Amino acid sequence: MATLNPIDLSGLNDERLASYVRAQIAEACEKNGFFQVINHGVPVELMDRLKQVGRKFFDLTKDEKLAYAGKPVIGSEGYGSRMVLDETEPKFWREFVELHTLPLSERHYNYWPQQPAEFRETVEKYTAALLDLPQRLLAVISESLGLKPSYLKEALGEPHQNIVFQCYPPCPEPGKTLGLPAHSDVVAITILMQEGDGLEVAAENDTWELVPNHPNAFVVNLADQIEIITNGRYKSANHRAIVNNDRTRRSYVTFYHPAKDQKIFPAPELVDEKVGPVYRELFYIEYLQALAAERFGGKRLVQSFAIDNPLVS
C-alpha cells in the first residue's frame, strides 16, 4: 500500500495540475479506498473550533455528559460510552456523541450538548462547510470511472449527513481492546479529522498501516454504498482505531449517506456483460436493518448483499 500522503485539492482549480490530482484520487480509490486531502476549502479556524468544543465536551463530568445519552441502536443520536476489555475478542474503548445534521428535519436538538455554550453553533457551521467537499470528491470519483461527474451524487439521492465526535481515553491494557474494531463504513463516503495518531487501515498480508496525522488534513474513505454502485471496482476498505495507555486521542467523523428510501444498485456502465452485477439492488434502509441485526457472519456487511451470497434472501 502506498503511504497516505495528502493530496492537494487546490490543483483541481489549475488546468495544468487537475489531471494529476484526479489521477491521484483514482489511484487511491483503486488501491485501498483511503486518502488524505489538504487545501480542501474548509477553513482551518472552523476545524480548530470544532476540536475545541469537542475537547470541552469530553472534559465534562460523566453525569453532565449522560444528560445527552441516546439509545444504543443503529441510527441513534446522543452521547454514549463503551469501555470493554476482553482477552479473546477486540471490543470497544471509546466515548462518543453522534448527531444527525441533514436533512434539517432529522436534527434532534435535545441530544445536542448545551455545554460548551458554542457547541451547537460550531457544529452547524462546520457541517455546513463540510457538505461541499464530499460532493466535489464524488464528482472526481465518478469521472475516474468513466461516468458523468454527477453520477454518484444522483445515485445517492438527497444527501444525508451526520457527525460523530469520538474520544479514546488512555486504556490500562491496550493489548486487550481496540478503540473501534475493524470495519468498513456503511455509508457512501466518510470525512474524518484526526486529533492524534490511532487510525489504521487494512494493508497487504493481513497487516495494518497507521494513517499519519497531517495538520489541517482530512482523511477520506470510500464506504459500502460506493462499493455497491461501482460494482466492486472500488472497495470500501477495512479500518480500525487503536488505543494506548498514556494519552487521549480524539477524532471527528462526518458521514455522507443516502436517504433510507434510496435505491442503491450497480451502475449499468460498470457491469461486465460476462460477469454481470456483483451486488443486488437494495434500499438503503435494508442495509441499516442488516447492520442492526448483525446478520453478516463475521464478514464485511457488504458481502451479504453479493448476488451469490447465501445470506441474501
Side-chain angles (χ1 to χ4, degrees):
M1 178 185 294
T3 57
L4 292 164
N5 294 321
I7 297 173
D8 188 344
L9 293 186
S10 66
L12 291 174
N13 301 319
D14 187 330
E15 293 183 2
R16 298 168 299 174
L17 301 174
S19 60
Y20 173 67
V21 174
R22 294 191 189 99
Q24 286 182 296
I25 293 174
E27 181 182 15
C29 291
E30 189 79 41
K31 287 187 174 180
N32 51 55
F34 263 76
F35 54 98
Q36 296 204 63
V37 295
I38 56 174
N39 292 323
H40 37 63
V42 180
V44 172
E45 318 85 73
L46 192 52
M47 297 169 68
D48 290 340
R49 285 173 58 191
L50 192 82
K51 293 175 185 177
Q52 289 170 7
V53 297
R55 287 194 293 267
K56 288 180 180 179
F57 174 79
F58 287 120
D59 285 342
L60 296 176
T61 67
K62 189 73 170 181
D63 286 343
E64 288 173 322
K65 289 181 284 191
L66 285 173
Y68 307 101
K71 297 179 180 179
V73 296
I74 298 301
S76 65
E77 292 185 87
Y79 171 77
S81 177
R82 298 186 70 181
M83 306 288 185
V84 182
L85 292 175
D86 190 324
E87 294 182 349
T88 61
E89 181 182 351
K91 295 293 185 181
F92 297 86
W93 192 266
R94 69 166 186 150
E95 54 179 338
F96 59 92
V97 180
E98 180 168 356
L99 306 171
H100 295 178
T101 51
L102 284 178
L104 297 179
S105 60
E106 293 190 8
R107 290 189 182 183
H108 302 125
Y109 285 117
N110 54 308
Y111 289 120
W112 291 47
Q114 297 181 30
Q115 298 183 64
E118 64 273 21
F119 186 96
R120 174 172 164 175
E121 179 186 6
T122 302
V123 171
E124 289 179 334
K125 289 183 176 180
Y126 177 83
T127 53
L130 206 58
L131 183 59
D132 180 63
L133 176 58
Q135 294 180 345
R136 284 190 289 134
L137 292 171
L138 288 172
V140 174
I141 294 168
S142 294
E143 289 182 297
S144 74
L145 293 162
L147 304 170
K148 64 180 182 179
S150 61
Y151 187 91
L152 287 174
K153 180 181 178 181
E154 293 172 357
L156 295 168
E158 178 189 10
H160 282 52
Q161 182 194 64
N162 64 303
I163 185 170
V164 181
F165 291 68
Q166 302 191 121
C167 178
Y168 305 95
C171 178
E173 298 182 78
K176 291 184 178 180
T177 191
L178 291 166
L180 274 176
H183 66 286
S184 61
D185 292 337
V186 304
V187 299
I189 192 168
T190 302
I191 311 292
L192 178 145
M193 178 170 61
Q194 294 199 84
E195 192 172 19
D197 291 330
L199 174 64
E200 292 187 331
V201 60
E204 298 176 352
N205 303 318
D206 295 322
T207 60
W208 293 92
E209 180 177 354
L210 185 70
V211 179
N213 181 24
H214 289 286
N216 307 325
F218 284 122
V219 178
V220 179
N221 71 283
L222 304 187
D224 292 352
Q225 306 314 305
I226 296 298
E227 178 165 339
I228 293 172
I229 295 172
T230 65
N231 203 38
R233 174 87 68 88
Y234 289 165
K235 296 289 193 298
S236 58
N238 273 4
H239 55 286
R240 68 182 188 178
I242 58 175
V243 292
N244 63 82
N245 58 10
D246 61 359
R247 65 188 181 280
T248 296
R249 174 179 175 263
R250 301 177 187 85
S251 65
Y252 311 87
V253 194
T254 307
F255 297 99
Y256 184 105
H257 52 105
K260 292 178 181 178
D261 61 356
Q262 182 71 15
K263 181 177 283 189
I264 305 296
F265 54 90
E269 296 90 337
L270 302 179
V271 174
D272 185 279
E273 292 183 1
K274 295 181 180 179
V275 177
V278 176
Y279 296 104
R280 69 172 177 86
E281 292 186 357
L282 61 125
F283 289 99
Y284 186 51
I285 184 63
E286 295 179 63
Y287 209 87
L288 298 179
Q289 291 170 339
L291 178 64
E294 297 185 351
R295 66 169 178 84
F296 39 101
K299 299 180 180 180
R300 291 194 308 132
L301 176 56
V302 72
Q303 292 176 287
S304 68
F305 288 86
I307 285 178
D308 60 351
N309 192 297
L311 291 178
V312 177
S313 58

